[in-house]
Amino acid sequence: QGRECEVVIFSAVRAPEACTATRGIGFLSDERRLNVALTRAKSLLIVIGHARTLSQSRAWAALLKHVRMTPGCFYDVPQSMEASTLWRLIEQRAREAGPSRRHFATQESPLA
């Protein structure tokens, strides 16, 4: 089916509901897709998404609750952060965490 990789960066970026005509998170609400995303990384999983939008799904809400309670696994990222700065932050956190850690970066403020 799928293959594992040492590092997986999963983009779960969706526009907040205020910016969309329809409510929901679309294909991201499929728990099978979430399961695939979470099980493909051998050493490091980085999920990037909008926490409030993803929380519309019970599965994503449970994941967010878990990573927020796990030290070093959840990072709020300012909307204004440049991609290169975000990448440096991810590299730094990955080095600090060592192998077999999962990271979840989220942007709490609404996207423009």
Side-chain angles (χ1 to χ4, degrees):
Q1 300 251 40
R3 61 175 202 203
E4 292 182 336
C5 295
E6 285 300 318
V7 176
V8 172
I9 300 174
F10 180 73
S11 174
V13 176
R14 301 288 295 172
E17 64 182 67
C19 299
T20 61
T22 60
R23 208 168 165 232
I25 61 172
F27 70 91
L28 291 172
S29 64
D30 185 341
E31 291 182 18
R32 294 171 297 183
R33 290 180 188 262
L34 179 57
N35 181 54
V36 169
L38 297 178
T39 59
R40 293 300 181 247
K42 290 181 183 178
S43 300
L44 179 65
L45 171 64
I46 301 165
V47 180
I48 302 173
H50 187 263
R52 281 184 287 167
T53 301
L54 293 172
S55 291
Q56 294 176 27
S57 159
R58 282 193 338 216
W60 279 100
L63 175 64
L64 284 162
K65 180 179 179 182
H66 173 74
V67 297
R68 282 183 166 133
M69 293 173 32
T70 305
C73 287
F74 183 88
Y75 304 101
D76 286 324
V77 178
Q79 182 176 348
S80 60
M81 183 177 282
E82 295 286 330
S84 59
T85 305
L86 175 59
W87 187 248
R88 283 193 301 275
L89 172 67
I90 290 168
E91 289 175 326
Q92 174 188 348
R93 302 297 184 182
R95 282 191 303 274
E96 291 171 1
S100 299
R101 290 302 302 254
R102 304 310 200 239
H103 292 266
F104 198 98
T106 181
Q107 184 177 68
E108 287 291 343
S109 56
L111 300 174

